[in-house]
Amino acid sequence: MTTGNWAPPTYTERLLYKAVARDDRAAVLDALGRTRLYVLQARVHADAPGYIPPLPSRRDKAARRTVVPVLTEGMLPAWHPDWVFKQTTLARLAAAWPNDRWWLAVNPDTPCAAALPARAADRRAWEEAGNRGGGPARLRLLTHAGGPLHGPVAHALALGAHLAVLNGLVWNALGAQYEDYPTDVSRLHRPWAVRHRADFRDKLRTLVATRLVGRVPESVLGMRHRLTARLGHAPSDEQWASMVTVNFERDDPYGEDRAEAAEFLRRIIHYEARFHADGLLPPGGRVDTLAAFDHGRAVNVVRLALGARYCDPQEAEESVLRVLEPARQAYGSWEEFSLGYLLARLIHFDEGDAEPMYQESVAVHRTLTQDPSSPYRNIPWS
């Protein structure tokens, strides 16, 4: 869909544009009730401890009213070091609205602009729309039409698409934020222990070198790979387990890693069997390395660092490109990369009832490998 030279950047703006064009207020609220909305903040205010900036407002002279401007995810402006965005929702705006006479201006001065009155009854309708829509959607492939779609940068960003799809975020953007400024900063602090630019660069080097995915599970997989080469065919699980036991008894005299290796072996066998049963792995197929987990997370750490203002867009682009060649060397296809990522996620976080995580992970994999609009279907691996 285009209007003049403008096309909706994401699915969200497409829905909103259609609803506004029909003058369908209910459809506008439905679209807004399922998406993130963004409020501009000065970074100095966002960084002030304990300070909660008020909603921004401005005078719309043409309409003769005061409005609170908010943006949808596809309409955010270019990255700026001193101006950041905080996400909100229609329901949260309704709860915090300061003045009955003000209006909500969504994407003002754009082809998908929507202006909503904000009296008490209107705000109740906002809350109902937010509750009905369930808030920002997860498990969705969201592509920005103005972002890179082909070429090395797009390929590198697609390495991080698992987390983007899982959280319902745009996969192909290096822009004003990843999720939003406070969330990006918080997620770098924990779990990544990244609090400034130097930390970010150190963590990126560690992830590109795949030092966080785990020496023990990679060793377990490497033993099967070597045993396969030696035998000329895939070993049985018993042969593989025997090799793991012998090697860890020899190299781990104090038994510190043996129990961990045995547990990872059990989990790998379990999840590969499920992959075969669910048609994710072809007959005889296997996962030889978990490097994808670090490579995919490296791309997301770059995007978080850009959102947190620990790097600028040029450094962010250079950083994601650093991940590309190691990933290509480790895998031969998008499907192999995706299954390496899935297996690593599952064996590392299988604590108790892992079924919901398994189903969620498979849903992400199938979206990325089967959706016709997925980068995995449109960007050649090599």
Side-chain angles (χ1 to χ4, degrees):
M1 175 198 298
T2 61
T3 173
N5 293 322
W6 184 83
T10 78
Y11 178 72
T12 297
E13 290 77 35
R14 190 176 308 122
L15 283 180
L16 188 58
Y17 178 81
K18 289 180 177 179
V20 171
R22 298 195 307 267
D23 194 24
D24 187 339
R25 181 62 58 83
V28 169
L29 291 180
D30 283 342
L32 295 178
R34 294 195 295 267
T35 191
R36 293 175 175 85
L37 299 172
Y38 290 91
V39 176
L40 179 68
Q41 292 183 342
R43 184 180 168 194
V44 66
H45 291 161
D47 286 340
Y51 177 64
I52 302 176
L55 286 172
S57 62
R58 63 178 175 84
R59 187 68 181 169
D60 184 336
K61 294 181 180 179
R64 297 184 178 180
R65 59 193 176 214
T66 299
V67 300
V68 172
V70 299
L71 300 173
T72 54
E73 48 220 322
M75 299 304 294
L76 296 174
W79 183 95
H80 189 284
D82 299 322
W83 292 97
V84 298
F85 289 89
K86 179 178 176 59
Q87 67 170 313
T88 186
T89 63
L90 199 59
R92 290 207 295 267
L93 285 170
W97 199 256
N99 190 313
D100 283 5
R101 298 180 65 183
W102 292 4
W103 283 51
L104 179 65
V106 183
N107 300 331
D109 306 316
T110 73
C112 59
L116 302 176
R119 294 159 300 196
D122 299 311
R123 298 199 302 275
R124 284 195 295 273
W126 297 3
E127 289 188 72
E128 291 169 4
N131 293 333
R132 191 167 57 246
R138 297 174 73 252
L139 293 175
R140 63 171 179 166
L141 176 65
L142 192 63
T143 300
H144 195 301
L149 298 172
H150 304 283
V153 174
H155 191 152
L157 287 171
L159 298 174
H162 283 85
L163 277 173
V165 170
L166 182 66
N167 294 308
L169 301 170
V170 170
W171 70 266
N172 65 328
L174 287 172
Q177 90 301 314
Y178 183 24
E179 187 163 343
D180 74 340
Y181 178 73
T183 307
D184 294 349
V185 170
S186 176
R187 287 189 175 173
L188 283 175
H189 288 183
R190 185 176 182 185
W192 292 111
V194 170
R195 297 182 179 275
H196 47 67
R197 184 183 296 260
D199 282 347
F200 156 60
R201 290 174 174 172
D202 287 344
K203 193 66 66 177
L204 179 63
R205 280 193 292 269
T206 300
L207 286 164
V208 171
T210 64
R211 294 188 190 131
L212 293 184
V213 73
R215 175 183 57 82
V216 172
E218 278 288 81
S219 295
V220 170
L221 286 173
M223 289 175 199
R224 179 176 60 179
H225 185 69
R226 292 194 301 274
L227 189 55
T228 300
R230 185 189 308 165
L231 296 173
H233 58 79
S236 67
D237 291 345
E238 292 75 17
Q239 289 173 313
W240 183 20
S242 176
M243 184 178 186
V244 169
T245 300
V246 168
N247 277 267
F248 274 92
E249 284 180 347
R250 182 193 66 210
D251 299 332
D252 181 29
Y254 299 105
E256 295 174 353
D257 294 330
R258 264 179 278 172
E260 186 180 4
E263 178 60 19
F264 276 126
L265 176 66
R266 183 195 68 78
R267 294 182 186 186
I268 291 167
I269 291 172
H270 169 73
Y271 283 114
E272 283 192 339
R274 294 207 63 178
F275 290 173
H276 283 292
D278 291 336
L280 306 182
L281 267 175
R286 65 180 188 269
V287 176
D288 283 332
T289 175
L290 307 175
F293 198 49
D294 277 0
H295 292 151
R297 292 187 297 171
V299 171
N300 284 278
V301 164
V302 173
R303 296 187 65 188
L304 288 169
L306 181 62
R309 277 40 180 189
Y310 293 166
C311 66
D312 60 29
Q314 180 177 346
E315 183 179 358
E317 182 173 309
E318 293 168 354
S319 296
V320 297
L321 287 172
R322 287 174 54 191
V323 189
L324 186 51
E325 193 53 36
R328 280 176 168 162
Q329 291 176 2
Y331 298 95
S333 69
W334 282 115
E335 288 77 9
E336 289 181 12
F337 174 86
S338 184
L339 286 173
Y341 186 98
L342 255 64
L343 183 60
R345 182 174 188 246
L346 290 166
I347 67 172
H348 278 294
F349 300 110
D350 181 354
E351 303 294 341
D353 181 13
E355 187 61 21
M357 184 174 64
Y358 178 80
Q359 296 299 335
E360 183 181 73
S361 299
V362 169
V364 172
H365 172 77
R366 285 185 167 144
T367 295
L368 285 169
T369 56
Q370 297 177 12
D371 190 311
S373 65
S374 166
Y376 290 14
R377 300 288 300 276
N378 292 286
I379 300 173
W381 177 254
S382 57

